Structure formats: structure tokens, C-alpha cells
């Protein structure tokens, strides 16, 4: 292909900015580039090994799979070569030319504004290949895909605005990435430095890595060893190697399962933090599937139910044939059995953690709770266990502290029959909800729920240890020992007036037992849908309408008493109607659903006018 033309491509606009951010954020972790390159090479080798099983015509069949790194301290150069799957022209434009998944840049900027550590950020995204621009001004990739008859290509870029691709003659399959090191990254032209970094990170690559003439890593399948023979440190490094995370995992689990219709070994991890993609796009990675030490799938979501898809690590089974397609693997009954066994083991693991190490469990729960909790309405076989694993903030605990239903029940006051909770958008909003006043006054514990998944889950958990669960903003709440408040003649007529004034806007107006400081509040109708649930449904584009609310009135409140007196004196007093509407709309405002701010403010000014006459 001598003389073939060089084609020039622009990075997407978002990409340019992202590159700059990556380069400038990562300077404190320059060795990251080496990990990323080795990890990519190792992926490419795994793909080649897998393809070798089915593709007779694959290039360089039977060649020893390996990674070779060459450095030259005089010339300041670095190169890494693998004989893996290689890249087509399309791979180069699709996978190398774009790293940003949509929304990455915004998220990245926001996290930086919040002062998050750069290393941390990168850990969450896996910015991958582009980290080379931390140590190089210009990068060269020469690659050829393993399919027979494929064409070789050279990709070149300074990582700034564009890159070029040209066809080249390349005999062997695989990829060679080379560059000159920047002045401040010269140390990576030294063999001893490279060896030191590899020893730290990449000891678990499945393939030999050579630096110059020396093989530097020991290839071992850690998950096949006995648990007792593996040091914590080795396990942690293995985790980092498999996931590209920069931190140690939160916890790990070594499994060797026989019987249960499946035989497998596994080394599983829970990360300390949720990856960026977890809840947004579900593009996050889960576990790798090996069949007798050969990786057959890099991200095998089928092995875990959705709510446990935060688990990372490796599962290796002898029950799957190697040379079958992924589709057959995915449909195999062996997969169903492994998945069932894994689900049981992972839940037991979380139970042990919750019992033994609350802090660790809460770290897990805060990171992955939103996903994990979806199991409540999906995994009915384990529902009770999952319910026991739920944690909540509560009115008796400081923000950030959490409690279980079990310990809530242990603290219930004599005579209390129900478990109380309140949903809202945030702790602050919940704490300001007038419906909590009675509970605050009587120091009765209320669980605070502010994650969307809670709004779905809680109404489905009707009781726990025979105690019904009850939202405190429901109309039909029974308050044991509540201060007896009865409608006297005064307030009775005023309540009648409120009903008449508000007409169809509310389902009913009633005397409140739950208010202490506020004059009025809105509660859900006994049969109607919860306000939070309504909001959720609307967010999901389902028009459920707004069910009418019940207005409750605190007859001990000075304003209400004043209004009663005024009403008796002159039932057609103009101010009465304004006050009734104003009280109702104030309650709507607290509830987060005020339809017309303009009317509300106008009326408030009028009332102030009267008061200051
Ligand atoms: P990630 O590895 O997270 O997908 P990278 O930016 O590191 O992101 O790499 C992007 C993609 O480029 C890879 O998914 C792979 O398709 C391709 N790639 C990178 N390095 C190699 C390599 N050495 N051999 C083959 N493909 C590669």
C-alpha cells in the first residue's frame, strides 16, 4: 500500500476538552498510562485466544500470545506490542477516536468543581488509551486485525484536535503503540522503572509481559488457588488489574462451588465506589467469565441478577465448552445454575458483612444501594433477606447515619403498633414537612426515605415482623395517645367554610391530630396515590393526574382561632376567604406543588396590606 493517502480526522468537540482535562488532571498519577496500555493489550490477547478456537483462518494461528515493551533511555522512546486481535479501520475511528460516552464531560467538570481527586475520577471512567497523552506529545499506533485478509493501518495523533489514519504494510496481526516521552516523563524510558510499575499492577495479566529481554510477570490464575494461599495484597492488586480501579476493593469473596448443578470457582469484589455509568447508562462492567482459565466473556451480565450487577471479578467454570459462540454460552442452562448459586452466595456475603462490619456495609450500601434495592421487587425468593439488608436514615439519627428495620422495631415505644416513614426529595425537605410535627413532639421515630427506588419499594413492604409500615403523610393514620383534639362549635363552622371555599380542590378538610406548630397541612387521601409516587410516575412520562389531597387543620393554632372568631362575627368577611386560600396554597408550597406563584404572592401582599392599615 505504498503511496496510499493519509486521511485526517477531527476529534469530536467534546473529546478535545475531555482530553485536556484528562491530561491536566492525571499528572499526579503518570504511571496510569502503562496500566491502561497493558490492560488493552491483555484484552486484545484474550479476544485473539477466544477467536483462535473457532476461526481456522485466523492470522498467525498458534503463535505464543505475549506483550512486549521496549524502551530506549537514550532516545527517550517507549513502545508496547501485542499479537492480539488488532484493530480494523473502523475500530480505530470508533474506539480510539471517541472515548467520551455522552455526558462524561459534564460529569467530569462537575466532579472537578466539587474538588474531587483526579485519580479518583479517572478510576471511575476508565479513560483508557488517552492517558498516554500525559506522557507523550505524539502517539503512533500500527495495527492489523487478526481476520485473514485484513489490512494494516497506522494511526497518529498529538491528542489535540485531530488524528490521521493511513494504510500500511504490516505482516503480523496485533498492535504496536509507540511514542517519544515528554521531558517530564523521561523516567518511563528506563527499564527498571517500567518493571517496577508492572510488578505493582500487572502481575496477573494472563500473558507473559516482556520488558526488553526479561519476562517480568508471573502468570497465575489467582482464583484457582486456595483462599488461604492468597495474600490480601495479591487479591487487591488482582482486583485493580481486572477492573482498572485505582483503589483497593471494599471487600472480596473467594468461592469454590461444587454441586448445585454447577462447578465453578470465583474471585468476587465489591468496589468502594460506584462507577460513573452504573445508574445512568448501565454500560458498567460486571464479571468476567472464564472456562478453564480461558476468558470467554469480558463482561458477562447474565451471570448476575440486575440488582447484584455491582459485583466485579472473575468466574471460572469447567462446565462450559470452550469453542462455542457467546450466544450459546448465554443460553446455556449452566449459566442459570451458576447465577442462582452466585446470588445465594453474594447475599450471604452481604449478610455477614452487615452483621460483622457495619461501617463496611454502609459504605457498600451508600455506593450501590439504589441498584441493590431494586431486588426487593425483583428477587422474590430472597425478598425477606433483602428487606433485612435495607438501611434508612431516621428522625432519631443524624444525617448520614443509617438504621435497619430490625433495629427500628427494637426501639419502638410501648403502644406503638406501626413502623412510620416519610418520603421526600431530601432530608432537609422531609424535616420541614409539617406532617412530622406530632412525631417530633413525641420523639417517635420516623424513617426518612429520599431515593426514588424507596418510593416504589416501601408501599410494597406492607409489614415487617407483623408491624404494618405506614407513611406519616397518609390521611388514615392512627395516632395512639394523640392529644385529643375535637372540633368545637367554633372550628366546626370554620372547617365548613374552608370546605366551601376550596370546593373541588381538596378531597376533604379535617381536624388534624398530627400538627403541633403549623396551622394546616396536606395529607394523601386514604385511597389515593402517594405524592412522591405521583411525581415519580410523571418523571417517567406517565400521566397519572394528581389525586386530590386532604387538608388538615390545627384547631389549636392562634391563626385558626382568630379566623374562627372572625367567622362568627361576620361570615362574609372578605379577608376570611383570602386567608383560607392562602393557608391552602402555603401547604401546597410546602408540599412542592404550588400551581400559581403569582396568585399566591398577590394575595399575600393584599393580606399584608390589610394587616398594616
Ligand atoms: P476501554 O479499554 O475502556 O474500552 P480504551 O480507550 O482503553 O477504552 O480503548 C478503547 C478501545 O480501543 C478498546 O475497547 C479496544 O476496542 C481498542 N483498543 C485499544 N487498545 C487496543 C489494542 N492493543 N488492541 C486492540 N484493540 C485495542
Amino acid at each position: 500500500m505504498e503511496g496510499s493517502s493519509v486521511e485526517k480526522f477531527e476529534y469530536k468537540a467534546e473529546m478535545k476538552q475531555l482530553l485536556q482535562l484528562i491530561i491536566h488532571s492525571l499528572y499526579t498519577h503518570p504511571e496510569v498510562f502503562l496500566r491502561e496500555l497493558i490492560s488493552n493489550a491483555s484484552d486484545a490477547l484474550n479476544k485473539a485466544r477466544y477467536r483462535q478456537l473457532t476461526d481456522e483462518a485466523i492470522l498467525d494461528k498458534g503463535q505464543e500470545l505475549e506483550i512486549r515493551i521496549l524502551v530506549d533511555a537514550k532516545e527517550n522512546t517507549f513502545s508496547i506490542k501485542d499479537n492480539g486481535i488488532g484493530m480494523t479501520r473502523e475500530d480505530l475511528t470508533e474506539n480510539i477516536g471517541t472515548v467520551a460516552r455522552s455526558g462524561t464531560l459534564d460529569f467530569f467538570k462537575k466532579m472537578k468543581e466539587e474538588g474531587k481527586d483526579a485519580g479518583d475520577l479517572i478510576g471511575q471512567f476508565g479513560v483508557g488509551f488517552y492517558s498516554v497523552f500525559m506522557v507523550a506529545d505524539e502517539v503512533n499506533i500500527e495495527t492489523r486485525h487478526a481476520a485473514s485478509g485484513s489490512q494494516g493501518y497506522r494511526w497518529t495523533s498529538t491528542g489535540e484536535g485531530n488524528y490521521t489514519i493511513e494504510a500500511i504494510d504490516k505482516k503480523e496481526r496485533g498492535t504496536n503503540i509507540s511514542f517519544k516521552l515528554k521531558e517530564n516523563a523521561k523516567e518511563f524510558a528506563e527499564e527498571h522503572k517500567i518493571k517496577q510499575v508492572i510488578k505493582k499492577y500487572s502481575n496477573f495479566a494472563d500473558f507473559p509481559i516482556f520488558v526488553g529481554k526479561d519476562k517480568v510477570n508471573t502468570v497465575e490464575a489467582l482464583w484457582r488457588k486456595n483462599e488461604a494461599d492468597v495474600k490480601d495484597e495479591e487479591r487487591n492488586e488482582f482486583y485493580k488489574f481486572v477492573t482498572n480501579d485505582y483503589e483497593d476493593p471494599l471487600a472480596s469473596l473467594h468461592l469454590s462451588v461444587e454441586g448445585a448443578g454447577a462447578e465453578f470457582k470465583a474471585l468476587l469484589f465489591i468496589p468502594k465506589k460506584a462507577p460513573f455509568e452504573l445508574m445512568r447508562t448501565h454500560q458498567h462492567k460486571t464479571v468476567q467469565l472464564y472456562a478453564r482459565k480461558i476468558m470467554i466473556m469480558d463482561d458477562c451480565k447474565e451471570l448476575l441478577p440486575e440488582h447484584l450487577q455491582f459485583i466485579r471479578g472473575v468466574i471460572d467454570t469447567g462446565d462450559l465448552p470452550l469453542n462455542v459462540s457467546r450466544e450459546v454460552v448465554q443460553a446455556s442452562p449452566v449459566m442459570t445454575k451458576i447465577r442462582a448459586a452466585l446470588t445465594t452466595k453474594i447475599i450471604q456475603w452481604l449478610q455477614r458483612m452487615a452483621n460483622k462490619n457495619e461501617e463496611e456495609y454502609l459504605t457498600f450500601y451508600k455506593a450501590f444501594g439504589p441498584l441493590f434495592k431494586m431486588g426487593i421487587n425483583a428477587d422474590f425468593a430472597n425478598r425477606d433477606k433483602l428487606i433485612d439488608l435495607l438501611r434508612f436514615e431516621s428522625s432519631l439519627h443524624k444525617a448520614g447515619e443509617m438504621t435497619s428495620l430490625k433495629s427500628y422495631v427494637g426501639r419502638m415505644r410501648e403502644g406503638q403498633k406501626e413502623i412510620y416513614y416519610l418520603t421526600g426529595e431530601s432530608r432537609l425537605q422531609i424535616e420541614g414537612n409539617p406532617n412530622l410535627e406530632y412525631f417530633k413532639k413525641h420523639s417517635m421515630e420516623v424513617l426518612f426515605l429520599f431515593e426514588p427506588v424507596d418510593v416504589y419499594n416501601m408501599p410494597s413492604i406492607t409489614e415487617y415482623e407483623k408491624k404494618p409500615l405506614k407513611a406519616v403523610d397518609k390521611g388514615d393514620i392512627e395516632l395512639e395517645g394523640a392529644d385529643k383534639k375535637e372540633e368545637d362549635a367554633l372550628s366546626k363552622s370554620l372547617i365548613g367554610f374552608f370546605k366551601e371555599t376550596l370546593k373541588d380542590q381538596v378531597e376533604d378538610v379535617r381536624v388534624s391530630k398530627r400538627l403541633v406548630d403549623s396551622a394546616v397541612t396536606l395529607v394523601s387521601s386514604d385511597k389515593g396515590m402517594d405524592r412522591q409516587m405521583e411525581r415519580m410516575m410523571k418523571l417517567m412520562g406517565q400521566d397519572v393526574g394528581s389525586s386530590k389531597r386532604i387538608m388538615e387543620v390545627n384547631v389549636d393554632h392562634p391563626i385558626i382561632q382568630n379566623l374562627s372568631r372572625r367567622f362568627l362575627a361576620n361570615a362574609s368577611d372578605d379577608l376570611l376567604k383570602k386567608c383560607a386560600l392562602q393557608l391552602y396554597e402555603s401547604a401546597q408550597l410546602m408540599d412542592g406543588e404550588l400551581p400559581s406563584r403569582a396568585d399566591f404572592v398577590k394575595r399575600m401582599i393584599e393580606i399584608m396590606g390589610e394587616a398594616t392599615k
Side-chain angles (χ1 to χ4, degrees):
M1 296 299 278
E2 269 331 282
S4 71
S5 62
V6 179
E7 248 194 285
K8 216 167 169 175
F9 299 81
E10 289 268 319
Y11 287 121
K12 290 182 181 157
E14 173 159 311
M15 192 57 230
K16 282 186 214 165
Q17 289 185 50
L18 195 63
L19 276 182
Q20 288 310 307
L21 280 168
I22 292 168
I23 294 166
H24 293 117
S25 311
L26 269 180
Y27 62 92
T28 46
H29 311 258
E31 75 282 359
V32 156
F33 86 93
L34 192 53
R35 274 181 69 176
E36 296 291 348
L37 293 180
I38 290 177
S39 150
N40 283 347
S42 171
D43 288 349
L45 290 166
N46 266 315
K47 286 179 192 160
R49 181 161 62 186
Y50 183 71
R51 184 167 176 140
Q52 216 145 261
L53 297 169
T54 48
D55 180 1
E56 273 306 314
I58 188 170
L59 287 182
D60 309 327
K61 190 174 168 71
Q63 216 180 49
E64 198 69 50
L65 299 168
E66 59 188 28
I67 298 171
R68 288 191 177 267
I69 295 174
L70 291 175
V71 289
D72 184 331
K74 280 205 206 82
E75 297 292 321
N76 246 335
T77 55
F78 175 100
S79 73
I80 177 168
K81 184 170 138 188
D82 67 70
N83 51 355
I85 195 77
M87 283 178 270
T88 62
R89 189 188 155 93
E90 203 190 357
D91 288 337
L92 285 169
T93 53
E94 292 302 307
N95 299 336
I96 296 282
T98 49
V99 63
R101 314 197 216 291
S102 66
T104 308
L105 183 64
D106 289 344
F107 187 70
F108 200 98
K109 282 184 180 156
K110 192 170 149 262
M111 299 277 277
K112 277 203 66 149
E113 274 163 27
E114 288 171 14
K116 298 265 161 49
D117 175 63
D120 241 46
L121 291 183
I122 301 303
Q124 289 183 45
F125 297 120
V127 289
F129 171 75
Y130 283 92
S131 54
V132 297
F133 290 108
M134 291 185 299
V135 295
D137 289 319
E138 185 177 285
V139 177
N140 245 296
I141 303 177
E142 294 187 355
T143 188
R144 183 174 173 194
H145 194 266
S148 67
S150 65
Q151 168 70 50
Y153 293 100
R154 178 184 296 122
W155 177 100
T156 322
S157 177
T158 56
E160 270 176 349
N162 45 50
Y163 58 93
T164 60
I165 296 181
E166 66 187 302
I168 56 164
D169 269 334
K170 187 175 185 309
K171 291 204 173 51
E172 298 186 319
R173 77 170 193 223
T175 303
N176 189 8
I177 299 176
S178 58
F179 44 85
K180 202 171 168 102
L181 289 153
K182 286 184 185 175
E183 267 312 293
N184 61 2
K186 271 182 169 170
E187 53 179 333
F188 297 105
E190 306 277 349
E191 281 197 2
H192 71 89
K193 173 70 188 178
I194 299 286
K195 285 178 182 168
Q196 181 201 332
V197 177
I198 294 181
K199 286 236 163 69
K200 196 166 145 218
Y201 285 139
S202 309
N203 228 347
F204 307 101
D206 238 356
F207 309 95
I209 303 175
F210 293 88
V211 175
K213 293 192 195 65
D214 307 327
K215 181 170 162 242
V216 284
N217 62 332
T218 42
V219 177
E220 57 181 351
L222 206 63
W223 60 90
R224 293 213 150 234
K225 291 174 119 185
N226 282 329
E227 181 170 6
D229 298 337
V230 181
K231 293 193 208 81
D232 283 348
E233 204 191 341
E234 283 179 293
R235 238 188 308 268
N236 289 350
E237 290 306 325
F238 176 73
Y239 164 79
K240 293 185 199 167
F241 176 72
V242 178
T243 59
N244 276 349
D245 195 347
Y246 297 83
E247 279 190 294
D248 285 345
L250 180 69
S252 61
L253 179 69
H254 214 118
L255 285 179
S256 179
V257 174
E258 277 163 47
E263 173 276 316
F264 66 91
K265 292 190 189 322
L267 189 46
L268 306 178
F269 300 94
I270 300 177
K272 279 195 179 129
K273 298 200 181 81
F276 164 64
E277 290 99 345
L278 186 73
M279 295 308 281
R280 291 156 198 264
T281 59
H282 288 266
Q283 279 175 346
H284 64 286
K285 289 197 171 165
T286 58
V287 287
Q288 300 177 336
L289 175 63
Y290 278 69
R292 274 159 277 147
K293 288 165 78 170
I294 307 264
M295 190 204 279
I296 53 179
M297 283 173 80
D298 172 39
D299 175 24
C300 188
K301 294 201 167 57
E302 294 81 0
L303 280 173
L304 297 164
E306 199 178 345
H307 59 285
L308 299 183
Q309 285 179 3
F310 52 84
I311 297 282
R312 303 296 308 264
V314 166
I315 289 142
D316 189 346
T317 175
D319 290 345
L320 282 171
L322 283 181
N323 53 349
V324 291
S325 71
R326 274 154 215 254
E327 290 69 29
V328 172
V329 169
Q330 280 159 342
S332 159
V334 175
M335 298 289 279
T336 317
K337 285 180 183 140
I338 298 181
R339 176 174 148 135
L342 276 178
T343 305
T344 309
K345 295 282 182 191
I346 292 168
I347 291 176
Q348 286 168 353
W349 178 21
L350 293 171
Q351 286 173 324
R352 280 197 303 276
M353 194 193 285
N355 291 337
K356 277 203 208 128
N357 187 340
E358 187 178 308
E359 194 186 323
E360 188 172 280
Y361 182 73
L362 287 184
T363 306
F364 150 73
Y365 195 81
K366 285 175 188 169
F368 299 105
L371 180 64
F372 175 65
K373 283 188 271 194
M374 300 207 299
I376 297 277
N377 282 316
D379 182 3
F380 294 102
N382 289 302
R383 187 173 152 93
D384 289 345
K385 290 181 190 135
L386 295 177
I387 290 176
D388 269 321
L389 286 166
L390 293 176
R391 296 293 180 271
F392 306 93
E393 293 212 6
S394 111
S395 58
L396 292 193
H397 292 92
K398 286 204 278 292
E401 289 179 10
M402 299 193 110
T403 185
S404 64
L405 285 171
K406 193 167 213 70
S407 38
Y408 178 104
V409 169
R411 283 188 298 270
M412 273 169 71
R413 310 185 12 164
E414 243 188 63
Q416 182 182 343
K417 296 202 185 73
E418 297 173 321
I419 297 171
Y420 298 113
Y421 68 89
L422 186 53
T423 49
E425 274 152 31
S426 64
R427 180 166 179 124
L428 204 66
Q429 194 228 12
I430 294 179
E431 281 179 331
N433 190 322
N435 296 330
L436 263 187
E437 290 172 0
Y438 168 88
F439 297 88
K440 275 191 205 149
K441 185 175 167 191
H442 296 270
S443 318
M444 278 169 90
E445 185 167 13
V446 177
L447 300 173
F448 292 167
L449 280 55
F450 32 76
E451 272 169 19
V453 53
D454 293 326
V455 177
Y456 279 117
N457 276 344
M458 286 312 261
S460 80
I461 307 172
T462 44
E463 55 170 45
Y464 179 82
E465 291 187 356
K466 304 225 163 62
K467 314 270 188 296
L469 269 73
K470 192 94 202 181
V472 305
D473 55 356
K474 275 277 186 191
D476 61 347
I477 201 156
E478 264 181 52
L479 298 175
E480 272 311 303
D483 306 338
K484 287 272 170 282
K485 287 182 185 173
E486 294 305 334
E487 300 181 42
D488 54 21
L490 269 179
S491 52
K492 200 166 183 171
S493 43
L494 183 69
I495 281 180
F497 172 75
F498 280 167
K499 277 189 209 172
E500 225 169 83
T501 311
L502 298 173
K503 286 202 192 78
D504 292 343
Q505 297 188 68
V506 290
E507 186 183 288
D508 197 6
V509 181
R510 295 178 188 165
V511 173
S512 182
K513 292 182 178 166
R514 69 190 100 203
L515 289 176
V516 178
D517 302 314
S518 302
V520 296
T521 189
L522 292 176
V523 299
S524 305
S525 129
D526 310 344
K527 35 191 190 310
M529 199 185 263
D530 195 81
R531 173 61 90 237
Q532 294 299 326
M533 181 75 98
E534 259 173 41
R535 209 167 278 152
M536 289 287 313
M537 304 289 270
K538 275 182 201 151
L539 280 178
M540 290 168 54
Q542 295 201 33
D543 187 15
V544 288
S546 289
S547 53
K548 280 190 201 162
R549 317 265 279 148
I550 297 167
M551 183 162 96
E552 288 194 355
V553 179
N554 178 0
V555 291
D556 293 337
H557 197 278
I559 286 263
I560 300 299
Q561 301 201 332
N562 291 348
L563 289 175
S564 296
R565 264 196 311 277
R566 247 187 131 102
F567 180 73
L568 274 193
N570 174 9
S572 53
D573 183 342
D574 191 39
L575 188 66
L576 284 172
K577 197 171 164 200
K578 281 183 194 155
C579 286
L581 288 169
Q582 204 67 4
L583 283 168
Y584 171 61
E585 290 188 6
S586 312
Q588 282 190 310
L589 186 61
M590 290 303 284
D591 209 30
E593 296 264 315
L594 180 64
S596 166
R597 282 191 249 175
D599 287 351
F600 179 79
V601 171
K602 188 165 159 259
R603 204 180 310 108
M604 183 174 75
I605 300 290
E606 284 170 17
I607 296 172
M608 283 163 77
E610 306 252 355
T612 51
K613 252 190 216 157

